[in-house]
Amino acid sequence: MKLADSVLAGDRLALARLLSYVENDTAEGRAALDSLFPHTGRSHLVGVTGAPGTGKSSLVNRLAYVFRHPPGGASPRRVAVVAVDPSSPFTGGAILGDRIRMRDLAGDPGVFIRSMAARGSLGGLAGATAGLVQVFDAAGYDLVFIETVGVGQGEVDIARLAHTTLVVEAPNLGDEIQAIKAGILEIADILVVNKADLPGVENTERALRSMLDLSQPSPRSMVHHKASLSPPASLIGQPGWVPPIQRTISTEAVGIEELAALIDRHRDYLGESGNWQRRERLRLESELEMLLREALVSRWRISISESQYQAVLGRLVERRISPRQAVECLVDGRVLRDT
Amino acid sequence: MKLADSVLAGDRLALARLLSYVENDTAEGRAALDSLFPHTGRSHLVGVTGAPGTGKSSLVNRLAYVFRHPPGGASPRRVAVVAVDPSSPFTGGAILGDRIRMRDLAGDPGVFIRSMAARGSLGGLAGATAGLVQVFDAAGYDLVFIETVGVGQGEVDIARLAHTTLVVEAPNLGDEIQAIKAGILEIADILVVNKADLPGVENTERALRSMLDLSQPSPRSMVHHKASLSPPASLIGQPGWVPPIQRTISTEAVGIEELAALIDRHRDYLGESGNWQRRERLRLESELEMLLREALVSRWRISISESQYQAVLGRLVERRISPRQAVECLVDGRVLRDT
């Protein structure tokens, strides 16, 4: 319990150590997570996602700076960033990223930025991300940004860990990206058009607005979603909240204070509408499902011998059984039948 | 069995119907896949992946055209394309995509293009993709392109379904994309710099070449990989094969015949080096693992009652148990302990 207590007491070195334990899924990390969990639930968790090239990292940097130096004499808030970075270890992408980030925020003890390489299984990654977020939450960070580089299902999964999700766009990223936007738009609470000094910003904003109109759930579809047992968080209607579109130029700090205010406004909206509790429940349910997935696979691995597995794989490679039949053999213990 | 037989006999309508069954994971689709599986293993499966905006779709279009109209009087080959498209259903992205594709290849019975929306679980998507590929393989298509839009773990998983993987780049997509490349580069058998008429193509090619040098496994690391029980396909050394870099301008059909020749050359390399069998085994092992993951989760879902699940979730939401403890309750049937 010592490590967890040190983290609760504000020990930054202990925090860094625990983050590594959690990322590497050590026994000490798991025990600390268990004892820290009752102390979580106070941070505002903000997901930031979008296509590559939209400038998410510098945007998050700027947001962190604004929350540390709020306009109008408000008190600064503590900010953590979990950046999920899919670059390969051999390029040192994550390390370089941290170095670039540090310039603005160097030496500020109220900011903690943690990059995580997106290697290994996606389930494992999402689980580790959730763990890092819990550590920051328990350690008293007011805001935790969860930044994901990419546009796939993994990003949607990670976005489900957040209370408020920002989807970042930029002008002129090509038609393919326009298509990708559509899928990810449904999870957006706030839309950001970054690099708003580039030509084409009006077109981007117009396209976003029309897609937004299409994706707003109709009253009827909302009733439908409420009636289902476990609707995905992205499909939960938010009556009274229309995702705003904010233009920013993160390199010049334009629009960042306005964006920070929108993040606060969405938190207030969630609280006042009673949606905070709903989000919190859906958030934890998503997290539980991700961990379940991992646990089921790892427990199954232990339950089967390598020779059993290789025997089934061998028959599959010889095309004597189909992949589905191989799964039946391995999961249900069915007797191998030759065709 | 009737549907499978019609597909084997070359009935295009039956093929289209079966593809839908497989995509929707119906009982009829699963049965047909079982009976078709012994007829698979003849197609050359070519994965095409890379960041958004690199022009993968038009590149695949052009490649299909070249394989249908080969230079030098060679006989045309039958080509199928499975395009995994992450756009949302409400935008009609996939449909529009198909329409654009059809212009070049319209009316050619030797080409079949199937788009699949990347909704739902990632495991489910990869499983469905694998099923579609099997159908085309059994139906006698010589080449099956598996095209994925995106840059995440899901794309790497899908790339593992292929014998030959093309990673497509384009000049000047920004630093973030450079970082992403590194992670995905390890799965590349052939690198394509598309949009090679854009400025910056030399820089892109140079960066690729230096990353490629870094990612080539050293003789020592290859021995290590060979010694491990189940190395990921992406880390398998290919002695005698250095991933070539091919420049293309798909909008003007530049470099496409050369790229098609490289695809054939990699197939020949796999055959002559004995790596085809190794790839085939790894391919089927990846597919098996994806299906296992899905099967374990769906079987677990059936095994637990909704009230049990909700009781555990309720304690989690109240923060009386941690997510990890909730998983233990649900998977191992541990008694709920209040802290």
Side-chain angles (χ1 to χ4, degrees), chain B residues 99-169:
Chain B
R99 204 141 23 106
I100 293 168
R101 286 166 171 283
M102 276 309 164
R103 224 174 287 148
D104 286 342
L105 307 162
D108 182 345
V111 178
F112 203 116
I113 297 173
R114 182 79 182 192
S115 292
M116 189 166 52
R119 305 307 304 271
S121 83
L122 198 61
L125 178 69
T129 304
L132 296 187
V133 170
Q134 277 163 33
V135 173
F136 283 123
D137 188 346
Y141 285 85
D142 301 295
L143 286 125
V144 182
F145 288 95
I146 309 163
E147 175 194 323
T148 59
V149 180
V151 287
Q153 182 63 41
E155 285 65 43
V156 174
D157 286 346
I158 291 170
R160 291 212 172 113
L161 298 172
H163 297 112
T164 299
T165 300
L166 274 57
V167 172
V168 186
E169 304 293 344

Side-chain angles (χ1 to χ4, degrees), chain B:
Chain B
M1 293 303 119
K2 198 172 167 308
L3 190 57
D5 289 338
S6 306
V7 169
L8 288 174
D11 180 340
R12 204 174 159 96
L13 276 176
L15 175 61
R17 197 161 358 121
L18 179 54
L19 294 171
S20 297
Y21 290 164
V22 169
E23 196 176 349
N24 298 319
D25 194 26
T26 68
E28 198 165 358
R30 287 192 295 268
L33 277 182
D34 285 350
S35 60
L36 286 177
F37 189 69
H39 300 275
T40 64
R42 286 172 300 183
S43 299
H44 184 196
L45 311 182
V46 181
V48 182
T49 191
T54 51
K56 286 178 295 297
S57 299
S58 66
L59 191 73
V60 170
N61 259 13
R62 292 288 189 180
L63 281 170
Y65 189 85
V66 166
F67 283 111
R68 294 300 299 151
H69 306 89
S75 41
R77 280 177 275 176
R78 298 180 68 206
V79 178
V81 179
V82 179
V84 182
D85 185 332
S87 59
S88 181
F90 63 75
T91 61
I95 297 157
L96 184 65
D98 280 358
R99 204 141 23 106
I100 293 168
R101 286 166 171 283
M102 276 309 164
R103 224 174 287 148
D104 286 342
L105 307 162
D108 182 345
V111 178
F112 203 116
I113 297 173
R114 182 79 182 192
S115 292
M116 189 166 52
R119 305 307 304 271
S121 83
L122 198 61
L125 178 69
T129 304
L132 296 187
V133 170
Q134 277 163 33
V135 173
F136 283 123
D137 188 346
Y141 285 85
D142 301 295
L143 286 125
V144 182
F145 288 95
I146 309 163
E147 175 194 323
T148 59
V149 180
V151 287
Q153 182 63 41
E155 285 65 43
V156 174
D157 286 346
I158 291 170
R160 291 212 172 113
L161 298 172
H163 297 112
T164 299
T165 300
L166 274 57
V167 172
V168 186
E169 304 293 344
N172 298 322
L173 281 175
D175 286 346
E176 208 168 6
I177 293 182
Q178 293 283 12
I180 285 168
K181 262 194 292 229
I184 216 155
L185 210 60
E186 297 168 25
I187 62 171
D189 299 305
I190 298 168
L191 284 154
V192 184
V193 181
N194 195 24
K195 304 189 177 181
D197 50 341
L198 292 183
V201 62
E202 285 82 10
N203 285 341
T204 303
E205 200 175 314
R206 202 176 310 122
L208 282 176
R209 214 172 283 280
S210 61
M211 283 200 272
L212 213 55
D213 291 342
L214 280 168
S215 69
Q216 282 300 298
S218 67
R220 196 168 57 179
S221 72
M222 272 178 50
V223 170
H224 171 73
H225 292 138
K226 276 183 190 163
S228 80
L229 258 175
S230 171
S234 59
L235 292 176
I236 286 294
Q238 298 193 88
W241 182 264
V242 176
I245 302 177
Q246 176 67 48
R247 290 190 194 184
T248 56
I249 310 170
S250 58
T251 50
E252 295 167 35
V254 171
I256 309 297
E257 289 184 7
E258 292 84 347
L259 182 57
L262 286 174
I263 291 170
D264 281 347
R265 209 208 286 169
H266 188 252
R267 185 205 52 197
D268 293 344
Y269 160 77
L270 287 176
E272 290 158 12
S273 64
N275 275 327
W276 182 274
Q277 273 73 24
R278 273 167 79 198
R279 281 267 166 138
E280 193 59 16
R281 192 181 178 90
L282 286 164
R283 245 178 42 65
L284 288 168
E285 193 164 2
S286 298
E287 192 173 327
L288 180 59
E289 281 181 15
M290 285 189 280
L291 290 174
L292 267 172
R293 225 167 257 277
E294 288 176 56
L296 288 167
V297 172
S298 65
R299 275 159 179 74
W300 173 82
R301 284 236 167 91
I302 294 166
S303 76
I304 197 153
S305 75
E306 186 61 25
S307 64
Q308 280 175 289
Y309 181 74
Q310 291 298 333
V312 173
L313 181 62
R315 298 216 173 186
L316 175 65
V317 171
E318 292 162 12
R319 289 188 160 69
R320 291 160 76 187
I321 53 173
S322 76
R324 200 184 61 82
Q325 289 163 336
V327 168
E328 285 187 353
C329 292
L330 290 169
V331 175
D332 302 331
R334 291 224 187 151
V335 180
L336 288 172
R337 250 183 325 132
D338 280 300
T339 46

